[in-house]
Amino acid sequence: MALIPDSRETIRARIARHPAFREELLKEGVDCLPAGDVDTGKAVLRDFVNATIGFGELGELTDKSPKSLMRMLGPDGNPQARNLFEIIGCLQDREGLRLTVRAVHDAA
């Protein structure tokens, strides 16, 4: 019987092969937050951190413990907006990109 690969390893491998996927994954995680899907946003950001810089380096960049950051982005985590925006800011800086918000009217 074939084993199903760990999703973190699958994401890590895809990020290594496709830089555009790396950018889209970060954008997706951030886009979920103002749309009200905070749980999905945190999960995607957690996957992104695991597949890229890791919580150790993110902890150094934010001056927060890696375990605290893992809890913030975990299923039961409830990060303060200040901490969440600091995490997103560090990830943007590390990736060399700047995400922006734009208004879009719903289709009537």
Side-chain angles (χ1 to χ4, degrees):
M1 179 195 313
L3 297 176
I4 298 171
D6 180 8
S7 65
R8 280 181 270 169
E9 289 304 317
T10 302
I11 291 169
R12 187 173 287 128
R14 184 149 184 216
I15 280 175
R17 286 190 318 269
H18 304 286
F21 177 73
R22 180 182 185 120
E23 184 176 319
E24 288 301 317
L25 189 62
L26 180 56
K27 286 171 38 180
E28 178 65 25
V30 173
D31 281 347
C32 287
L33 300 172
D37 193 357
V38 176
D39 291 337
T40 300
K42 289 187 310 176
V44 172
L45 289 174
R46 184 180 175 109
D47 286 344
F48 182 85
V49 171
N50 276 321
T52 57
I53 67 174
F55 281 98
E57 186 175 338
L58 183 59
E60 291 174 17
L61 293 171
T62 59
D63 199 29
K64 293 179 178 26
S65 95
K67 287 187 180 193
S68 177
L69 293 166
M70 284 186 248
R71 280 191 300 272
M72 283 182 210
L73 297 180
D76 296 326
N78 189 17
Q80 293 180 353
R82 176 186 311 274
N83 292 329
L84 192 55
F85 292 140
E86 183 179 9
I87 291 167
I88 292 167
C90 285
L91 295 175
Q92 288 180 104
D93 290 345
R94 181 73 168 45
E95 294 301 311
L97 63 99
R98 189 64 48 206
L99 301 173
T100 60
V101 176
R102 65 183 176 98
V104 177
H105 292 280
D106 289 333

